[in-house]
Amino acid sequence: MPVASMDNITKKVKEEIDRGWIGPDIECPYHPCHFIGQDCTFCFCPFYPCNDLGLGDNIAGRLGKPIWQCTYCLLIHRPEVGRHVMSEIKRLGIQDPKDPRMRDLFNDVKERFYRKGRALMVLGATSDAGKSVTVAAICRILHKRGYLVAPFKSQNMSLNSKVTPIGSEIAMIQTIQAKAAGLKNPDHHMNPILLKPKGDTRSQVMVEGKPFGDYDVPEYYDNFVPGPGIEAVKRNIEFLKQRYDFVVMEGAGSPAEINIYDRDIANMGAAVVADADCILVVNVEWGGSFAYAVGTVKLIPERDRGRIKGIILNNVLGNPSNMEPGAEELERILGIPVIGIVPHADVDLPSEDSEAFRGMSSRGSGGVRISVVKVPRIANFTDLDPLYMEDATVSFVTRPEELEGSDAIIIPGTKNTIDDLLWMRENGLDKAICSFKGKIPILGICGGYQIMGRLLKDPQGIEGKAPQTIEGLGMFDMVTEWDEYKKKVIQDQGCLLETGEPVTGYEIHMGLSEVNEAPLFRIDRFKDSETEGAFRKDDMLFGTYLHGVFDKPAFRKFFLSFVKKGGKPVKMAEPKDYDDHIEENIEKLALVFEKALDIDMLMSIAEGRS
Amino acid sequence: MSILFIGTASGAGKTTVTAMYCRHLRRKGVRVAPYKAVNLSLNSYVTQEGKEIGMGQAFQAWASGLKPSGDMNPVLLKPSGNGRIQTVLCGTPAGDVTEKKSMDAPLASAVAYEAYDRLRSKYDVVVCEGSGSPVELNLMDRDIANIGLMRNRRVPAILVGDIERGGVFAALYGTWLLLPDDVRPLVKGFLINRFRGDASLLDGGVRTIEDITGMKHLGTIPYRSLKFPEEDSLSDSDGRLSGDNAEEAFMSNIDALLDAALEAGVDFQAIERLH
Ligand code: SF4
């Protein structure tokens, strides 16, 4: 609920009382603004300001006076609450929210409907065990049973981040899980610590969506983890437990890294703080899964071991029943039930595994070949994922000769534009790309867009290692300058100027650009609008700061309409929103898990009954 | 004399480590031959005598300064799609295995161990590679290449764990725990493979594993992006050999890895004492 003046709120609530119970208001253009299945009877809360710190909080107002803020409160939108409150208001004949009996009603509602949630944690025996998808599947399974569910990962090392509505950065994967939970607005509580590798041994550490500092590994464990780290984990788990029925937590890597066990706030450390029971996921595909399961459980100190209440054998390629005798033996050895033998789920969801990405030279099997320059500090490469829905193969290119035969070139985002441009120059990719100018479409996204410009000025050495000004590829009349250590982080929506069709995306960058080119997009801001991007139609050059630019079909189709294979246009898939594609795949994934898991056992673990 | 490298999982790096150790012995002038009892692989190599063996054993033979031979991989299982698996015994096709018709295990193990004995009699050291994980609870009792070899020929073993995916301590400990009592004492030490970063960060964990298992930490092998097709289709090595001379390209790769391992302080002398 937005901050509004008290009188205005009172007036709105009176209107709501007059209108009566409405349930989910699917006519509303913003519906659902919180979660799928929400009750919209009270868009303005009749209890405002309840001053209950477990629900809302005070923020500083313009005149220094605190203002009650309800952004994250979901209580009044729970279907059972909306209906109950309205029927009580009618029964008691209350007409004005200022009626003193409203306080009693609030207390009664809290008493009846408010329960602090429980946390459940998904641990993986290795990275890529399938934790993220398991969390997504469990979120969806619980959501379908009518619970309010939030995903959570205390610490995520990721090159792919997304921007929340208030301009916080969180890992992309938690936004997918939030979607699986039916939530509309993933927020920074769901991933309070985000580590963004900087390409050397250091990472930028983001806390609650904002830059906090740069650390190398020992500094991180010695200075960050015991202080601000554990505090952030505690604060945010508590926050979510106060607002959701279930918090489904994801571990990071293996929980049995005994060399750092006591400083690990991503696994058992978080489980203890959250008082969560845990499920251990083991990827069967690589073999050795029983050893991984037994070793993981047995290496976790006894005081925490008891939290592991179930095991999932994941990603079984052959006949799952072949695993049953082994699973029974495992249960006997560990005394922990195997709650599911989950077959390999053939779903297309963006994935976090930079490990998998590292060894990959191409993806997709379509007709046209789109070459993506795999710069060493590549970032937000999930931008490319929607291309796999099209008739395209994406090849990751690190050498000039690999560009041969490309039908289009994309220079993606990077964690460090200047260093990656220098890298391109060193191996000749800069010249090679320029030689394709005018022949095939070339697109730069974020850092890649900056690289396509004329000049990159870094007078204070903010982006590069030393102060310098270097020439870009010169495809656009554009000068980018880093003049202070400041990051632009914002969600965007608007339209593609050529067609007027909608486009969404988000920007995360340092360095601001002066561009003298025809723009690509119109971005609608709160009050006015601005243009964004650069477009040279004759040379088929495209540049934009927008991550996620391919998600909506408009720009994807537009860009691909310039791509030709042997003179022929690309076969286009039906224009589909990538969001819908993700939704379908989440549903598919959840069905695979739902069929394979013992749901009663899952529920008893989630509810802390097992 | 012989030694067996077993892995915590399919892609733990057994093939490479075995090749590297063969190379090490070869450099010292030891007459060494590689051996892998059972190989499940799509990549095969045809020897000069027309015998078909796993690609990995061909590499290991080159690393040992030998020509690949049928005895180096007496049982080769080649998935041919539709759940069928072609069996190759000592380099010669010997029929298909399907869901319904399983392998003649006594025959296969007899063939495998006879080949091992022949290599033993011809070379100073036979460096053996295990297959998959030795402790797949649903397959363990039929094992030939890991537990089977240890049990039947009392070959001392070294466990190789891959740290790249995380969970290496759990994998090492879990594998050791699940091994049958009669062969567990044969596993004398362990290696941590594919490590990046500062190895001293692992010290605490390594010591705990040594303490609770009695296995000795024989070294931590640094990560190298090696370009040769790995044994198992699952390996995440990111390239294939290019050029005509696969052998030459492979040799320079394995030499580079061995040098890196030596530099990283892998205790080859301790391994030699285990034969
Ligand atoms: S119940 Fe929730 S929405 Fe209503 S006033 Fe309290 S915090 Fe705000």
Side-chain angles (χ1 to χ4, degrees), chain A residues 127 257 259 286-288 295 358, chain B residues 10 136 164-165 167 170 196 201:
Chain A
S127 15
E257 301 299 13
N259 51 329
W286 300 320
R358 189 181 294 137
Chain B
S10 308
E136 299 296 8
E164 199 184 11
R165 288 175 190 144
R196 309 165 207 249
L201 294 174

Side-chain angles (χ1 to χ4, degrees), chain B residues 203-214:
Chain B
D203 284 351
V206 163
R207 232 169 298 126
T208 305
I209 297 298
E210 286 189 318
D211 289 349
I212 57 182
T213 67

Side-chain angles (χ1 to χ4, degrees), chain A residues 125-128 217-218 253-254 256-260 284-292 294-296 298-299 317 319 322-323 325-327 329-330 333 355 358-360, chain B residues 8-11 99 132-133 135-138 162-171 173-175 177-178 196 201-206 208-209 212 223 234 236-238:
Chain A
T126 52
S127 15
D128 292 349
V217 178
S254 151
E257 301 299 13
I258 44 179
N259 51 329
I260 54 160
V284 170
E285 191 193 351
W286 300 320
S289 50
F290 299 111
Y292 272 96
V294 169
T296 305
K298 298 267 182 179
L299 280 185
L317 283 163
N319 184 353
N322 291 344
M323 296 292 293
E329 181 69 9
L330 185 66
I333 293 169
E355 282 309 321
R358 189 181 294 137
M360 193 153 61
Chain B
T8 56
S10 308
E99 278 261 325
S133 153
V135 291
E136 299 296 8
L137 296 177
N138 46 340
D162 169 21
I163 198 167
E164 199 184 11
R165 288 175 190 144
V168 71
F169 300 119
Y173 185 45
T175 306
L177 269 178
L178 290 179
R196 309 165 207 249
L201 294 174
L202 298 179
D203 284 351
V206 163
T208 305
I209 297 298
I212 57 182
Y223 179 90
L234 290 171
D236 46 14
S237 222
D238 54 12

Side-chain angles (χ1 to χ4, degrees), chain A residues 25 28-38 40 182 184-185:
Chain A
D25 182 5
C28 172
Y30 303 104
H31 179 85
C33 57
H34 295 284
F35 59 94
I36 293 171
Q38 71 179 69
C40 304
K184 194 68 193 200
N185 299 309

Side-chain angles (χ1 to χ4, degrees), chain A residues 301-609:
Chain A
E302 230 174 314
R303 61 178 195 271
D304 298 338
R305 193 182 299 156
R307 292 191 179 274
I308 303 180
K309 302 281 195 201
I311 294 172
I312 292 178
L313 299 173
N314 188 30
N315 209 14
V316 178
L317 283 163
N319 184 353
S321 63
N322 291 344
M323 296 292 293
E324 271 162 24
E328 278 165 27
E329 181 69 9
L330 185 66
E331 290 182 341
R332 198 188 53 76
I333 293 169
L334 289 177
I336 300 173
V338 172
I339 67 164
I341 301 175
V342 182
H344 171 77
D346 188 17
V347 293
D348 179 26
L349 287 171
S351 76
E352 193 54 79
D353 43 2
S354 45
E355 282 309 321
F357 181 73
R358 189 181 294 137
M360 193 153 61
S361 59
S362 77
R363 226 188 114 181
S365 54
V368 298
R369 186 170 155 221
I370 300 179
S371 294
V372 171
V373 182
K374 193 173 161 192
V375 291
R377 297 155 197 89
I378 190 166
N380 285 66
F381 47 83
T382 48
D383 285 352
L384 308 167
D385 287 353
L387 292 174
Y388 306 126
M389 305 193 314
E390 304 284 347
D391 183 27
T393 300
V394 173
S395 317
F396 299 100
V397 170
T398 51
R399 283 171 306 174
E401 57 275 19
E402 292 168 344
L403 285 173
E404 222 38 65
S406 305
D407 302 309
I409 298 174
I410 297 176
I411 314 174
T414 148
K415 275 293 292 165
N416 191 310
T417 307
I418 291 192
D419 287 356
D420 277 347
L421 173 56
L422 291 173
W423 172 84
M424 284 168 67
R425 189 147 293 160
E426 223 164 80
N427 66 16
L429 266 167
D430 58 337
K431 288 209 185 69
I433 293 170
C434 290
S435 72
F436 285 93
K437 183 180 146 186
K439 296 179 191 146
I440 55 173
I442 302 175
L443 162 70
I445 303 175
C446 195
Y449 176 36
Q450 295 173 333
I451 286 173
M452 286 174 80
R454 190 161 56 79
L455 217 54
L456 296 95
K457 291 187 187 171
D458 183 17
Q460 299 171 58
I462 289 170
E463 180 81 348
K465 289 186 186 71
Q468 59 194 322
T469 292
I470 60 170
E471 280 178 29
L473 304 187
M475 294 181 170
F476 295 126
D477 183 3
M478 154 172 169
V479 177
T480 301
E481 182 158 358
W482 288 260
D483 66 352
E484 53 177 333
Y485 194 95
K486 206 174 160 220
K487 212 168 177 186
K488 182 166 181 182
V489 182
I490 191 167
Q491 278 190 348
D492 294 324
Q493 49 184 313
C495 71
L496 176 64
L497 287 166
E498 286 268 329
T499 65
E501 294 167 281
V503 164
T504 58
Y506 53 97
E507 294 174 51
I508 307 172
H509 54 98
M510 297 207 293
L512 296 175
S513 305
E514 186 87 45
V515 193
N516 287 306
E517 295 287 344
L520 257 183
F521 304 115
R522 190 192 74 223
I523 304 295
D524 300 321
R525 296 276 179 235
F526 186 50
K527 286 210 174 82
D528 45 14
S529 66
E530 56 194 56
T531 56
E532 201 283 329
F535 179 37
R536 282 201 191 182
K537 199 170 192 168
D538 296 343
D539 281 337
M540 298 185 280
L541 299 175
F542 306 76
T544 178
Y545 270 117
L546 258 56
H547 290 296
V549 69
F550 287 130
D551 286 6
K552 290 258 178 274
F555 180 71
R556 193 184 338 132
K557 300 286 165 192
F558 185 65
F559 178 72
L560 289 174
S561 73
F562 288 82
V563 183
K564 300 278 177 319
K565 182 87 201 173
K568 281 199 230 87
V570 184
K571 267 192 276 135
M572 298 267 191
E574 64 179 287
K576 194 163 163 195
D577 214 317
Y578 189 56
D579 236 29
D580 298 336
H581 178 73
I582 291 188
E583 169 58 31
E584 282 164 23
N585 279 281
I586 290 174
E587 195 53 32
K588 219 164 122 186
L589 172 81
L591 283 176
V592 171
F593 272 79
E594 210 162 4
K595 252 173 88 181
L597 292 187
D598 182 328
I599 299 291
D600 290 340
M601 268 197 213
L602 172 71
M603 287 312 299
S604 80
I605 296 172
E607 287 166 357
R609 288 186 278 113

Side-chain angles (χ1 to χ4, degrees), chain A residues 121 123-125 255 278-282 292-293 296-297 308 310-313:
Chain A
M121 183 157 204
L123 303 165
C278 305
I279 294 172
L280 176 66
V281 182
V282 192
Y292 272 96
T296 305
V297 172
I308 303 180
I311 294 172
I312 292 178
L313 299 173

